C-alpha cells in the first residue's frame, strides 16, 4: 500500500504522512515547500527563492543554503513527491500526494457549477467543504515576503467561496442561520462590499429592515474613512431595495454580475 502524503497551506504550512505530522523544519524550509506547492507548474526559479527567503539581502551562501533546504525536504518527504533541478529552478512533482489548496479549488469549482444551475443544496455542501479546508490564515509559518505575495489572492478566493456559499444558503431559505457568520466576516473585511450587501439582504429577509439599513450606513462610513470612496453600485442598489421594502436583487442573482464567481 502506498503511503498517503498530504500537504496543507491553508493555515500553517504542514505535511502529513499517513496522518502523522512530518517534521519539515522552520520558517525557511516551509517557505521553500509552500513556494513550490503554490507556484504555476510547481516550478520556482532560484532568483524567486532568493527573494522569498531573504528579500533584498541574500547571504553569499544563498545557493548552498537553498540546496540544503531542498535536500532536507527530499529526504523528509520521501517517494510521494520529487523535487527536480531544471534550468536554474526547482520543480515539485507530486505523484501520490495531495494538497488542501487543490482540494479547495476543485470543490469550489464544482460548487459554482451546481450553483449556476440552481442546485442549491449540493452547491452549499460542496462550497462548505471547500471552506472547511481552511484552518486559519494561510501560510502563517512562512516568510513575510511569501505571505505578502500569496495571501491576498488566497484570501480573495476564500471570501469568494464564502459569498457563493451564502448565495446557496439564501436560495435554500437559510437566512436566519447565516447571520452570525456574515456579521463576523463583514466586521473582519469592512471593504468587502458584496459580503456587506449579502448581510443586508439576509437581515432584511429575517425581518430586520432597520438593522440592514444600519449595516449600509456603517459600511458607508468605513469606506469613506478608510479608503475615501463611496459605496458601489451593488451596495447602493441593495440599500435602495431595502429602503423600498422589497427583496434585493442580490438574493436572486448571487453576485453583481448575476452569476456565481469561480476561483482562479
Amino acid at each position: 500500500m502506498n503511503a498517503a502524503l498530504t500537504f496543507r497551506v491553508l493555515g500553517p504550512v504542514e505535511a502529513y504522512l499517513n496522518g502523522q505530522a512530518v517534521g519539515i523544519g522552520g520558517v525557511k524550509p516551509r517557505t521553500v515547500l509552500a513556494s513550490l506547492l503554490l507556484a504555476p507548474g510547481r516550478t520556482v526559479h532560484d532568483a524567486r527563492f532568493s527573494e522569498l527567503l531573504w528579500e533584498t539581502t541574500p547571504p553569499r551562501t544563498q545557493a548552498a543554503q537553498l540546496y540544503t533546504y531542498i535536500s532536507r525536504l527530499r529526504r523528509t518527504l520521501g517517494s510521494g513527491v520529487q523535487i527536480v533541478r531544471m534550468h536554474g529552478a526547482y520543480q515539485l512533482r507530486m505523484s501520490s500526494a495531495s494538497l488542501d489548496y487543490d482540494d479547495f479549488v476543485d470543490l469550489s469549482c464544482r460548487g459554482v457549477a451546481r450553483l449556476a444551475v440552481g442546485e442549491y443544496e449540493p452547491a452549499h455542501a460542496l462550497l462548505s467543504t471547500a471552506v472547511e479546508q481552511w484552518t486559519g490564515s494561510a501560510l502563517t509559518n512562512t516568510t513575510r515576503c511569501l505571505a505578502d505575495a500569496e495571501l491576498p489572492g488566497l484570501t480573495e478566493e476564500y471570501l469568494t467561496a464564502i459569498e457563493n456559499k451564502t448565495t446557496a444558503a439564501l436560495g435554500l431559505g437559510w437566512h436566519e442561520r447565516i447571520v452570525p457568520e456574515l456579521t463576523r466576516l463583514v466586521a473582519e473585511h469592512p471593504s468587502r462590499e458584496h459580503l456587506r450587501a449579502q448581510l443586508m439582504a439576509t437581515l432584511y429577509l429575517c425581518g430586520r429592515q432597520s438593522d440592514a439599513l444600519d449595516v449600509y450606513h456603517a459600511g458607508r462610513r468605513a469606506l469613506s474613512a478608510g479608503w475615501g470612496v463611496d459605496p458601489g453600485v451593488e451596495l447602493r442598489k441593495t440599500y435602495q431595495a431595502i429602503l423600498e421594502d422589497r427583496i434585493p436583487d442580490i438574493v436572486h442573482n448571487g453576485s453583481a454580475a448575476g452569476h456565481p464567481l469561480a476561483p482562479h
Side-chain angles (χ1 to χ4, degrees):
M1 180 183 296
N2 291 331
L5 181 62
T6 60
F7 296 109
R8 301 197 64 84
V9 295
L10 303 180
V13 175
E14 298 169 326
Y16 292 88
L17 184 62
N18 295 328
Q20 299 296 314
V22 174
I24 52 178
V27 168
K28 284 187 167 61
R30 290 176 192 272
T31 298
V32 170
L33 176 60
S35 303
L36 288 165
L37 288 166
L38 291 173
R42 297 199 165 104
T43 299
V44 181
H45 286 267
D46 292 356
R48 181 59 173 160
F49 275 128
S50 177
E51 179 184 1
L52 294 174
L53 292 169
W54 299 289
E55 298 188 35
T56 59
T57 56
R60 287 181 296 176
T61 58
Q62 60 176 305
Q65 289 190 43
L66 176 58
Y67 180 79
T68 297
Y69 298 143
I70 293 290
S71 298
R72 289 176 180 172
L73 286 172
R74 283 171 173 156
R75 290 195 303 269
T76 302
L77 299 176
S79 60
V81 297
Q82 288 182 300
I83 304 178
V84 180
R85 180 69 174 167
M86 50 186 296
H87 310 299
Y90 288 97
Q91 183 181 69
L92 180 69
R93 298 176 183 175
M94 296 170 57
S95 53
S96 57
S98 64
L99 172 64
D100 59 351
Y101 174 69
D102 292 345
D103 295 338
F104 166 77
V105 171
D106 175 64
L107 289 160
S108 295
C109 289
R110 287 161 56 198
V112 164
R114 294 296 188 94
L115 189 58
V117 294
E119 295 179 1
Y120 298 121
E121 192 162 355
H124 189 272
L126 286 163
L127 289 161
S128 295
T129 306
V131 170
E132 288 167 3
Q133 301 302 307
W134 290 70
T135 58
S137 182
L139 306 172
T140 52
N141 51 359
T142 63
T143 61
R144 182 185 63 182
C145 189
L146 177 64
D148 287 347
E150 298 287 352
L151 192 54
L154 292 173
T155 302
E156 174 69 23
E157 293 188 49
Y158 169 73
L159 291 174
T160 298
I162 289 281
E163 290 166 352
N164 287 329
K165 186 182 78 163
T166 299
T167 299
L170 290 172
L172 291 164
W174 293 350
H175 38 273
E176 291 186 359
R177 71 171 70 175
I178 63 177
V179 168
E181 180 184 35
L182 280 177
T183 301
R184 174 181 60 80
L185 287 165
V186 167
E188 292 175 356
H189 306 278
S191 66
R192 190 82 177 185
E193 294 191 42
H194 187 62
L195 268 177
R196 187 175 296 275
Q198 287 186 315
L199 175 58
M200 290 168 60
T202 301
L203 289 168
Y204 175 79
L205 292 173
C206 292
R208 298 169 59 181
Q209 184 179 18
S210 62
D211 289 339
L213 297 175
D214 285 344
V215 168
Y216 172 82
H217 290 300
R220 178 174 54 79
R221 291 191 296 270
L223 290 168
S224 176
W227 295 272
V229 297
D230 294 323
V233 173
E234 181 181 51
L235 208 51
R236 297 199 307 271
K237 285 185 175 181
T238 302
Y239 170 75
Q240 190 62 37
I242 293 171
L243 200 62
E244 296 171 359
D245 200 15
R246 57 183 173 83
I247 297 175
D249 290 342
I250 194 173
V251 174
H252 307 295
N253 291 341
S255 74
H259 54 77
L261 305 173
H264 297 294

